[in-house]
Amino acid sequence: MDQDERHIVVVAMPAGDDPGTWIEALRPRLPNFDVLSLDAATDTARVAYVVAWKHPRGALARFPNLKAVFSLGAGVDHLLSDPDLPVALPIVRVVDPDLTSRMSEWVMLHVLMHHRQQRLYEWQQFEKIWADDATQPAAKDVRVGIMGLGVMGQDSAHKLAMMGFDVAGWSRTPKTLPGIETFSGDAGLGSFLARTQILVSLLPLTSATRGILDLGLFRQLARDSHVGGPVLINAGRGGLQNEADILTALDEGLLRAATLDVFETEPLPQTSEFWHHPAVMVTPHNAAISSPQTIAAFIADQIEAAEDCEPLEHVVDRNAEY
């Protein structure tokens, strides 16, 4: 194929981020394509696919022959929020076993950390206090609720259930998980929250979910937790949480503790109260880090399939709220 006829795959990143790692991972897997950065793709008519993470708004509108856009993460809100994104353009989510397992590991770690009161024992060690918690319940007596039953939510729910926790899930539309109680829609949300002691949020960010983690929701959580109150764990999106409400809920006892991996502003500002709040665990949006090698393999397989006129997998339904 003539060099000027080869399709281009563009890696689009935020200004200041180096796309080199992703370009290096994709090039050997797509030998029949030119894999370029956004700035290097000057021949816009040859751009057929874009691999994006928080790309500059409007940047994709200049590619007239674009066939599909791939998100470099599990979320796609950074794409859907671009008002200049072509309406008919397929958007593909990354659904990869490696990414899913990383998220489940993180969820299990922090559910266990709160369940086994690890932060308390870290403080006791620092203060040289030898004290045992005689009220530690079994996992079967701890009710965990998963908000968001996509691939990651389902995997986390199943793995927590295998560890013995009493797990339930909630989603906007009805879903069935073997051995796990599920709730759905506005009608099921109250019942789901009322039985939840540890709340895990893995929801996508949509117009319907923005700010859903607020005081009104926290007030509906179960009050009989062995650690003295409900616990919030959020690894979905920062836009899901009302951060002022989380701090108020912690100070008023509506929440006993929180682990937050995502924030409204990232990196988390140095002035944020979350950094030094004694009941908050902060992680730097690394619950499920995308591995360039595994994600590149997934994207390359999808592009090759599309070129063979096979359907793309995991295309986002833009009309689905969550």
mmCIF file of all heavy atoms in Angstrom, residues 21-33 35 293 296 300 304:
data_model
loop_
_atom_site.group_PDB
_atom_site.id
_atom_site.type_symbol
_atom_site.label_atom_id
_atom_site.label_comp_id
_atom_site.label_asym_id
_atom_site.label_seq_id
_atom_site.Cartn_x
_atom_site.Cartn_y
_atom_site.Cartn_z
ATOM 1 N N THR A 21 4.182 6.506 25.006
ATOM 2 C CA THR A 21 4.044 5.137 25.501
ATOM 3 C C THR A 21 2.963 4.389 24.743
ATOM 4 O O THR A 21 3.123 3.213 24.372
ATOM 5 C CB THR A 21 3.713 5.148 27.004
ATOM 6 O OG1 THR A 21 4.791 5.765 27.710
ATOM 7 C CG2 THR A 21 3.512 3.733 27.526
ATOM 8 N N TRP A 22 1.838 5.072 24.496
ATOM 9 C CA TRP A 22 0.729 4.432 23.785
ATOM 10 C C TRP A 22 1.059 4.226 22.313
ATOM 11 O O TRP A 22 0.695 3.200 21.722
ATOM 12 C CB TRP A 22 -0.540 5.260 23.950
ATOM 13 C CG TRP A 22 -1.032 5.248 25.357
ATOM 14 C CD1 TRP A 22 -0.863 6.212 26.311
ATOM 15 C CD2 TRP A 22 -1.745 4.185 25.995
ATOM 16 N NE1 TRP A 22 -1.432 5.826 27.495
ATOM 17 C CE2 TRP A 22 -1.981 4.589 27.322
ATOM 18 C CE3 TRP A 22 -2.212 2.952 25.570
ATOM 19 C CZ2 TRP A 22 -2.673 3.796 28.238
ATOM 20 C CZ3 TRP A 22 -2.893 2.143 26.472
ATOM 21 C CH2 TRP A 22 -3.116 2.567 27.790
ATOM 22 N N ILE A 23 1.743 5.184 21.704
ATOM 23 C CA ILE A 23 2.139 5.036 20.307
ATOM 24 C C ILE A 23 3.078 3.837 20.146
ATOM 25 O O ILE A 23 2.925 3.011 19.233
ATOM 26 C CB ILE A 23 2.801 6.337 19.806
ATOM 27 C CG1 ILE A 23 1.763 7.462 19.717
ATOM 28 C CG2 ILE A 23 3.459 6.121 18.440
ATOM 29 C CD1 ILE A 23 2.344 8.831 19.393
ATOM 30 N N GLU A 24 4.046 3.710 21.062
ATOM 31 C CA GLU A 24 4.985 2.595 21.004
ATOM 32 C C GLU A 24 4.293 1.251 21.214
ATOM 33 O O GLU A 24 4.703 0.236 20.643
ATOM 34 C CB GLU A 24 6.079 2.789 22.047
ATOM 35 C CG GLU A 24 7.018 3.957 21.735
ATOM 36 C CD GLU A 24 8.013 4.190 22.843
ATOM 37 O OE1 GLU A 24 8.043 3.374 23.800
ATOM 38 O OE2 GLU A 24 8.754 5.185 22.787
ATOM 39 N N ALA A 25 3.246 1.240 22.022
ATOM 40 C CA ALA A 25 2.519 -0.011 22.261
ATOM 41 C C ALA A 25 1.653 -0.395 21.073
ATOM 42 O O ALA A 25 1.460 -1.588 20.787
ATOM 43 C CB ALA A 25 1.660 0.132 23.516
ATOM 44 N N LEU A 26 1.128 0.601 20.362
ATOM 45 C CA LEU A 26 0.215 0.325 19.248
ATOM 46 C C LEU A 26 0.928 0.020 17.933
ATOM 47 O O LEU A 26 0.456 -0.812 17.144
ATOM 48 C CB LEU A 26 -0.732 1.516 19.047
ATOM 49 C CG LEU A 26 -1.865 1.654 20.064
ATOM 50 C CD1 LEU A 26 -2.467 3.060 19.986
ATOM 51 C CD2 LEU A 26 -2.940 0.591 19.823
ATOM 52 N N ARG A 27 2.032 0.679 17.653
ATOM 53 C CA ARG A 27 2.675 0.551 16.342
ATOM 54 C C ARG A 27 3.005 -0.883 15.935
ATOM 55 O O ARG A 27 2.687 -1.298 14.813
ATOM 56 C CB ARG A 27 3.928 1.430 16.296
ATOM 57 C CG ARG A 27 3.633 2.870 15.926
ATOM 58 C CD ARG A 27 4.872 3.726 15.878
ATOM 59 N NE ARG A 27 4.533 5.082 15.420
ATOM 60 C CZ ARG A 27 5.320 6.130 15.579
ATOM 61 N NH1 ARG A 27 6.490 5.993 16.198
ATOM 62 N NH2 ARG A 27 4.946 7.312 15.131
ATOM 63 N N PRO A 28 3.634 -1.690 16.796
ATOM 64 C CA PRO A 28 3.942 -3.059 16.351
ATOM 65 C C PRO A 28 2.704 -3.926 16.150
ATOM 66 O O PRO A 28 2.773 -4.925 15.434
ATOM 67 C CB PRO A 28 4.826 -3.601 17.482
ATOM 68 C CG PRO A 28 4.517 -2.753 18.666
ATOM 69 C CD PRO A 28 4.203 -1.405 18.123
ATOM 70 N N ARG A 29 1.591 -3.530 16.754
ATOM 71 C CA ARG A 29 0.356 -4.308 16.612
ATOM 72 C C ARG A 29 -0.475 -3.860 15.415
ATOM 73 O O ARG A 29 -1.426 -4.536 15.044
ATOM 74 C CB ARG A 29 -0.475 -4.196 17.899
ATOM 75 C CG ARG A 29 0.170 -4.868 19.102
ATOM 76 C CD ARG A 29 -0.617 -4.636 20.375
ATOM 77 N NE ARG A 29 -0.135 -5.478 21.457
ATOM 78 C CZ ARG A 29 0.897 -5.206 22.228
ATOM 79 N NH1 ARG A 29 1.557 -4.072 22.046
ATOM 80 N NH2 ARG A 29 1.278 -6.037 23.181
ATOM 81 N N LEU A 30 -0.124 -2.703 14.845
ATOM 82 C CA LEU A 30 -0.855 -2.166 13.691
ATOM 83 C C LEU A 30 0.149 -1.805 12.598
ATOM 84 O O LEU A 30 0.315 -0.643 12.231
ATOM 85 C CB LEU A 30 -1.667 -0.933 14.110
ATOM 86 C CG LEU A 30 -2.827 -1.175 15.078
ATOM 87 C CD1 LEU A 30 -3.359 0.153 15.628
ATOM 88 C CD2 LEU A 30 -3.945 -1.957 14.393
ATOM 89 N N PRO A 31 0.817 -2.806 12.036
ATOM 90 C CA PRO A 31 1.881 -2.530 11.064
ATOM 91 C C PRO A 31 1.389 -1.891 9.769
ATOM 92 O O PRO A 31 2.194 -1.296 9.042
ATOM 93 C CB PRO A 31 2.493 -3.909 10.809
ATOM 94 C CG PRO A 31 1.395 -4.875 11.137
ATOM 95 C CD PRO A 31 0.647 -4.254 12.279
ATOM 96 N N ASN A 32 0.112 -2.014 9.480
ATOM 97 C CA ASN A 32 -0.427 -1.453 8.243
ATOM 98 C C ASN A 32 -1.018 -0.058 8.424
ATOM 99 O O ASN A 32 -1.668 0.472 7.516
ATOM 100 C CB ASN A 32 -1.485 -2.385 7.658
ATOM 101 C CG ASN A 32 -0.912 -3.733 7.267
ATOM 102 O OD1 ASN A 32 0.188 -3.817 6.721
ATOM 103 N ND2 ASN A 32 -1.639 -4.796 7.575
ATOM 104 N N PHE A 33 -0.807 0.526 9.601
ATOM 105 C CA PHE A 33 -1.319 1.856 9.905
ATOM 106 C C PHE A 33 -0.170 2.771 10.316
ATOM 107 O O PHE A 33 0.860 2.305 10.818
ATOM 108 C CB PHE A 33 -2.342 1.805 11.055
ATOM 109 C CG PHE A 33 -3.604 1.057 10.727
ATOM 110 C CD1 PHE A 33 -3.635 -0.331 10.758
ATOM 111 C CD2 PHE A 33 -4.762 1.741 10.401
ATOM 112 C CE1 PHE A 33 -4.801 -1.018 10.464
ATOM 113 C CE2 PHE A 33 -5.928 1.070 10.103
ATOM 114 C CZ PHE A 33 -5.947 -0.315 10.134
ATOM 115 N N VAL A 35 0.647 5.252 13.139
ATOM 116 C CA VAL A 35 0.173 5.608 14.473
ATOM 117 C C VAL A 35 0.891 6.883 14.887
ATOM 118 O O VAL A 35 2.120 6.901 15.038
ATOM 119 C CB VAL A 35 0.435 4.478 15.492
ATOM 120 C CG1 VAL A 35 -0.148 4.859 16.854
ATOM 121 C CG2 VAL A 35 -0.175 3.168 15.004
ATOM 122 N N GLN A 293 0.248 -2.171 27.244
ATOM 123 C CA GLN A 293 0.394 -3.362 26.406
ATOM 124 C C GLN A 293 -0.938 -4.106 26.241
ATOM 125 O O GLN A 293 -1.312 -4.494 25.127
ATOM 126 C CB GLN A 293 1.457 -4.288 26.995
ATOM 127 C CG GLN A 293 2.848 -3.671 27.048
ATOM 128 C CD GLN A 293 3.338 -3.205 25.690
ATOM 129 O OE1 GLN A 293 3.143 -3.882 24.684
ATOM 130 N NE2 GLN A 293 3.968 -2.043 25.649
ATOM 131 N N ALA A 296 -3.496 -1.791 24.369
ATOM 132 C CA ALA A 296 -3.124 -1.676 22.958
ATOM 133 C C ALA A 296 -3.515 -2.927 22.185
ATOM 134 O O ALA A 296 -3.979 -2.844 21.033
ATOM 135 C CB ALA A 296 -1.627 -1.419 22.830
ATOM 136 N N ALA A 300 -6.022 -2.797 19.043
ATOM 137 C CA ALA A 300 -5.542 -3.262 17.745
ATOM 138 C C ALA A 300 -6.422 -4.367 17.193
ATOM 139 O O ALA A 300 -6.750 -4.392 15.992
ATOM 140 C CB ALA A 300 -4.096 -3.743 17.866
ATOM 141 N N GLU A 304 -8.469 -4.064 13.621
ATOM 142 C CA GLU A 304 -8.305 -5.056 12.561
ATOM 143 C C GLU A 304 -9.647 -5.704 12.213
ATOM 144 O O GLU A 304 -9.940 -5.959 11.038
ATOM 145 C CB GLU A 304 -7.288 -6.121 12.987
ATOM 146 C CG GLU A 304 -5.865 -5.604 13.165
ATOM 147 C CD GLU A 304 -5.181 -5.258 11.841
ATOM 148 O OE1 GLU A 304 -5.833 -5.353 10.790
ATOM 149 O OE2 GLU A 304 -3.994 -4.878 11.882
#
